Amino acid sequence: MRVGLIGLGRIGRFHAETLARRVDQLIVADADRNLASEVAGRLGATAGDPWSADALVIATPTSTHAGLLLQACEQRIPVFCEKPAAPTVAETLQVAEAAERCGTMVHIGFQRRFDAGFAAARQALLGGELGALHRAHLLTGDPRPPAPEYVPVSGGIFRDCHIHDFDILRWVTGLEAESVYAAGANRGEAFFAEADDVDTSAALITMADGTLVTLQGSRYNGAGYDVRMELAGTLATWAVGLGARAPLHRADDGAFPEDPWPDFQTRFAAAYTAEIEAFLATARGEQDSPCTVRDALAALYLAEAADLSRRDGRPVQMAEVTK
Ligand SMILES: NC(=O)c1ccc[n+]([C@@H]2O[C@H](COP(=O)([O-])OP(=O)(O)OC[C@H]3O[C@@H](n4cnc5c(N)ncnc54)[C@H](O)[C@@H]3O)[C@@H](O)[C@H]2O)c1
């Protein structure tokens, strides 16, 4: 299989290494041609036209996703695109409709679906081991804030960061949300407030079956990169992300890991590899898309509801934001 890869920044370079070891030919491209040549030379890939390949991976900035996805749909090239499918609901709907009209396979990159812990929790819950789910908790703590210039174009903490929590919540539980009541605070540098964003977040999400979900986030989680989920049912409680590298001081015995998770690249390295392997299997026609544009849209609706709730200071019904 010949695979094209557009965008060789933080995440694109990681995907390039995975792809280079697994496909017959990898054709890389970046707006920075020198970067494309450098990556191609290092990995034995080709710097060239990615649109000539049998399948395409998009890892460019979010603002470019919709245009590239629409082109891939029209050309009927199976495509993997980093999250989010697009920054706005209108563009995401446009891409979903194009994918369905053209019958093009689109896989959106929510890599937590390929993390062993989240997958095991989902299997246990859906297999009945937890009994009836009554409550869940989600947490994402970034060790340090993104670059100040990225914050105004990020879409805000709910669209940029918690979109992963919203997707994994739907995927693990198989439930849809009914309402969101979110809050935010600015505890750090001024550029978050200047961009009308927050660096600290919390939300209460009520699922359609009555399950209560709490969510917390921080751009200043100094202990390390911390992603966790807890699922409490009538028979058992399962936790994801409490492994040996969880960046937590255990007050009871004073323990702290020697090498706490430093960043998302390290924490989810195996998941990023597994999702690209899944994309290749999907592009070969062996399975359906593991995360469709409609899934990305559902996560974006949750982010829209959370952002609106945080701004208005009131609970928002999902029906207010879905189209
Ligand atoms: N799934 C995850 O956990 C995860 C993590 C990081 C980033 N992302 C997503 O991946 C995307 C890229 O993020 P990043 O941090 O790697 O960005 P980045 O800025 O590090 O890299 C983007 C690269 O794309 C290139 N580029 C820009 N416009 C281009 C165009 N039109 N054609 C070709 N190349 C172009 C840039 O030169 C740059 O090398 C974003 O949408 C982001 O949301 C997802």
Side-chain angles (χ1 to χ4, degrees), residues 17-265:
E17 297 202 2
T18 306
L19 287 163
R21 290 194 293 269
R22 287 168 177 80
V23 301
D24 299 321
Q25 190 189 5
L26 175 62
I27 307 169
V28 296
D30 192 283
D32 178 346
R33 283 167 180 254
N34 291 334
L35 177 60
S37 301
E38 182 262 306
V39 171
R42 187 163 48 80
L43 297 176
T46 309
D49 176 13
W51 295 98
S52 63
D54 306 312
L56 189 67
V57 172
I58 299 170
T60 50
T62 299
S63 59
T64 65
H65 289 184
L68 294 169
L69 280 169
L70 289 172
Q71 188 177 341
C73 288
E74 295 299 336
Q75 294 190 21
R76 295 180 166 74
I77 302 177
V79 58
F80 171 92
C81 181
E82 264 306 333
K83 68 84 201 167
T88 64
V89 167
E91 287 168 288
T92 310
L93 272 168
Q94 214 187 339
V95 174
E97 281 155 16
E100 286 154 10
R101 177 170 44 79
C102 300
T104 303
M105 192 286 287
V106 182
H107 174 177
I108 304 298
F110 283 104
Q111 84 284 354
R112 290 187 193 180
R113 292 179 177 223
F114 297 91
D115 174 79
F118 284 111
R122 176 179 192 256
Q123 207 177 355
L125 177 66
L126 302 183
E129 285 183 50
L130 278 74
L133 183 68
H134 281 188
R135 59 190 170 85
H137 179 65
L138 293 148
L139 169 88
T140 296
D142 283 335
R144 66 198 74 83
E149 60 273 18
Y150 175 70
V151 172
V153 296
S154 70
I157 197 167
F158 292 110
R159 290 187 193 84
D160 182 53
C161 170
H162 288 308
I163 194 102
H164 285 288
D165 297 293
F166 298 139
D167 177 68
I168 208 65
L169 172 63
R170 293 183 61 248
W171 187 73
V172 167
T173 65
L175 299 169
E176 298 295 343
E178 196 166 81
S179 68
V180 182
Y181 195 4
N186 281 302
R187 311 296 307 276
E189 286 149 290
F191 55 78
F192 284 101
E194 284 162 11
D196 199 14
D197 193 7
V198 293
D199 58 47
T200 307
S201 49
L204 171 64
I205 305 166
T206 304
M207 307 305 280
D209 72 342
T211 298
L212 292 179
V213 180
T214 49
L215 166 75
Q216 288 188 6
S218 171
R219 297 290 204 181
Y220 289 92
N221 197 74
Y225 182 62
D226 198 1
V227 169
R228 283 181 273 139
M229 182 178 201
E230 190 175 301
L231 296 153
T234 49
L235 297 180
T237 299
W238 279 57
V240 181
L242 280 185
R245 299 184 70 181
L248 291 167
H249 280 270
R250 296 200 316 235
D252 307 281
D253 60 9
F256 188 75
E258 271 174 29
D259 54 349
W261 295 120
D263 49 40
F264 64 83
Q265 292 96 329

